[in-house]
Amino acid sequence: MSKGKVNRVGMIAVFSLLAVAVLWQAKLYLAHENEKPHRRKIVSTSSRKSPAKAKRARLEYFQRMLRDPATGQIPRGIRQGELEFAARLKGLAKAQGSAGLDTMFTWKEAGPTDVGGRTRALAIDVTNSQVVIVGGVSGGLWKSTDGGATWVLKSDPNQVLSITSIAQDTRTGSTDIWYAVTGEFRGSTFDNVNAGSSYFGAGIYKSTDGGDNWVLIQSAADPSSWDTKFDMVMRVVVSPTTGDVFIATNNYGVYRSTDGGVTFTGVLGNTPNDHSYSDVAVDADGYVYAVINYSPVSTAAPQQAAGVYISDDGGANWDVITPTGYPVRQERSVLALPASNVNALYLMTYTGEFIVEDEEDDVRLYKFDRLAGTSVDLTRSP
C-alpha cells in the first residue's frame, strides 16, 4: 500500500473516533439534562414577554369596549362609516345656519359617568352604612348619603385631587373625624408606559364634620416633585383604641401621629430611598402591622431590613414576623385584616417578576395568626 493511501486511512480512522466520542458525550449530556428537576422560569418585568402581554390585554380591552354586542365583533368598515357621517354633519350644519344641529336631535347622556376618575379609596361610615366616602386617584373626594345612588364632590376643585386612601376615627364620640391622603406612586392608567404615571400628592386632608368639608393639615411643599413623605402616601389608618393616625408612604416608610395629624414621627423604615413601598394596618385590639419593601432605587444596604413587622405598643417598638420563604425582592405589598377574625392578618406581595410558563406576575399570599405566632404561605392553595 502506498504511503498516501496509508495517510488517508489513518485520517479516516481518527475522524471516526472523534465522531464516536462526540456522540457519546452528547448522549451523556442529554441523560444528565433529563435527570434535572423541573424549574419554573421567572424573568424580570422588563423582559419582552411582560410588555407584550400588557399590549395584548390592552387590545382585548378596546375590542370588548368597541365590539357589536350582537356579533361580538367590531363592524367591518366602521371607521370609514364614521368619517362619512362626520362629513355629512358638516353639510347639515351649513344648511341649518346659526340654529345649528342641536334643533335636529334630542340628546341624553350616554356616559361614561365616571367623572371622579379611577376609584382608589373607599370607606363606609361605621355609624351609618348609607354614608360612603370614596376617593378618585385623579378625581378628588366624593360622598354619598344614600348608599351610592347619588354622589357629591367634596373636594375643592382647586386642590390636588389625587386621593389614595381614606380612614375614619371609629372611636365613640370621634366618628365625625376622617382623614384622606394623596399621591399615587405607581399604577395610573393615564400613561401605560412603565406601569403608568405618578400623581403627586399635596399632603393629608382632615374632616371633622363627617366628610363634608376637608382641611389640609399636612402639606407637601411642592406637589410637583417628590421630596417629602407627604408627596406619595399609600395608606392612612386610625387606631380604634387610641385614635393615633398611621400613614404608609412610598420611599419614606411608616409614620405615626398622636395629636390628630398635627405632627408625624417616623416609626419604621424611615431612611429615604430604602423602601419604595410600605403598608400599615391596625386591628381591633390596637396591634399595629406594617410591611416595608426592598427599594431598587438605593444601592446600599437598607438601615432596616425589608419584611413584615408587628407592634404591641402603638408603633413604639416592633418585632419581625417575616414568614419563611418570603421573597428576597419585593415591590408593592398590601395588608388586610378580616373582620371575622381579630387575630388574622393577610399579606399579598408582588415580587416584580414575571413567570413565563404561567403567563402571570409573581404574586405571593400569606396568612398570619397573631395568637399562635405562625404564618402560612397560601400562594399555591386551591
Side-chain angles (χ1 to χ4, degrees), residues 161 185 335:
L161 304 177
F185 175 54
L335 301 171

Side-chain angles (χ1 to χ4, degrees), residues 3-79:
K3 185 177 180 180
K5 290 184 178 180
V6 171
N7 289 338
R8 286 196 295 272
V9 171
M11 291 177 65
I12 292 172
V14 170
F15 281 119
S16 298
L17 289 173
L18 287 174
V20 171
V22 169
L23 290 173
W24 178 252
Q25 289 294 327
K27 182 178 181 181
L28 290 176
Y29 174 81
L30 291 174
H32 175 69
E33 283 298 297
N34 290 333
E35 292 174 358
K36 286 184 177 180
H38 176 66
R39 297 179 181 177
R40 303 169 71 221
K41 185 178 180 182
I42 298 179
V43 298
S44 170
T45 52
S46 62
S47 70
R48 293 184 177 180
K49 284 289 185 178
S50 185
K53 180 185 177 185
K55 184 177 181 180
R56 184 170 63 252
R58 185 177 178 84
L59 292 174
E60 290 174 354
Y61 166 76
F62 281 110
Q63 200 278 337
R64 290 195 301 269
M65 183 173 67
L66 300 173
R67 66 187 179 183
D68 184 338
T71 65
Q73 301 294 323
I74 298 176
R76 187 177 298 276
I78 189 65
R79 176 57 178 165

Side-chain angles (χ1 to χ4, degrees), residues 4 14 39 83-84 87 98 110 118 120 137 142 148 154-155 165 173 207 221 225 230 235 248 267-268 312 317-318 382:
V14 170
R39 297 179 181 177
L83 295 174
E84 292 173 356
S98 60
R118 179 166 50 88
R120 175 69 185 268
V137 76
W142 296 74
K154 295 299 181 179
S155 290
S165 180
S207 173
S225 62
F230 301 118
R235 185 85 65 198
V267 293
L268 189 69
D312 60 3
N317 297 280
W318 299 85

Side-chain angles (χ1 to χ4, degrees), residues 300-322:
Q303 297 293 314
Q304 198 152 25
V308 192
Y309 293 80
I310 186 173
S311 174
D312 60 3
D313 56 6
N317 297 280
W318 299 85
D319 293 319
V320 180
I321 57 171
T322 306

Side-chain angles (χ1 to χ4, degrees), residues 138-212:
S138 59
L141 288 156
W142 296 74
K143 181 178 179 179
S144 173
T145 57
D146 52 14
T150 59
W151 296 90
V152 177
L153 176 65
K154 295 299 181 179
S155 290
D156 183 337
N158 295 315
Q159 296 173 337
V160 172
L161 304 177
S162 57
I163 306 299
T164 53
S165 180
I166 303 169
Q168 181 183 23
D169 189 337
T170 59
R171 296 174 300 159
T172 302
S174 299
T175 54
D176 279 342
I177 299 175
W178 294 72
Y179 298 89
V181 293
T182 61
E184 185 183 52
F185 175 54
R186 179 179 179 182
S188 161
T189 54
F190 177 75
D191 179 1
N192 197 37
V193 179
N194 295 327
S197 299
S198 297
Y199 278 101
F200 289 106
I204 302 175
Y205 292 93
K206 181 177 181 178
S207 173
T208 56
D209 59 3
D212 285 326

